[in-house]
Amino acid sequence: MKIAIDMGGTRIKIACYEGNASKPLWYENIPAYSNRGILQALERAEQVVRDHGCGTPECVGIATPGIVDSARCRVTFI
């Protein structure tokens, strides 16, 4: 199982894929509440995944608006 998370400024989109499928097993689109900070957004995204009964995924991809320093594995600006 693979999890994809798109952390937008107003909405967080979360999908789960199995194998090499191009269509998700499930998809959720929840409010981001960006003014409350990134930690609450990540916790809410995690809860959505848990609510769907997902165990430990094979991989998780997260898209964020901002600048990523890939050499240091850090988000430098959101």
Side-chain angles (χ1 to χ4, degrees):
M1 162 185 356
K2 301 167 187 163
I3 303 294
I5 303 172
D6 181 352
M7 305 289 290
T10 58
R11 307 293 298 176
I12 300 170
K13 294 166 265 322
I14 308 160
C16 175
Y17 295 85
E18 189 68 52
N20 292 325
S22 60
K23 292 189 179 184
L25 294 173
W26 56 262
Y27 171 83
E28 292 275 340
N29 185 338
I30 63 174
Y33 303 123
S34 297
N35 59 326
R36 298 181 189 170
I38 189 71
L39 183 59
Q40 66 80 30
L42 290 171
E43 288 171 344
R44 290 177 48 250
E46 177 186 16
Q47 190 59 52
V48 167
V49 173
R50 289 184 188 278
D51 288 349
H52 279 277
C54 298
T56 303
E58 176 184 338
C59 62
V60 176
I62 301 177
T64 62
I67 300 170
V68 175
D69 180 345
S70 58
R72 293 184 184 160
C73 297
R74 299 174 61 161
V75 175
T76 60
F77 178 80
I78 291 182

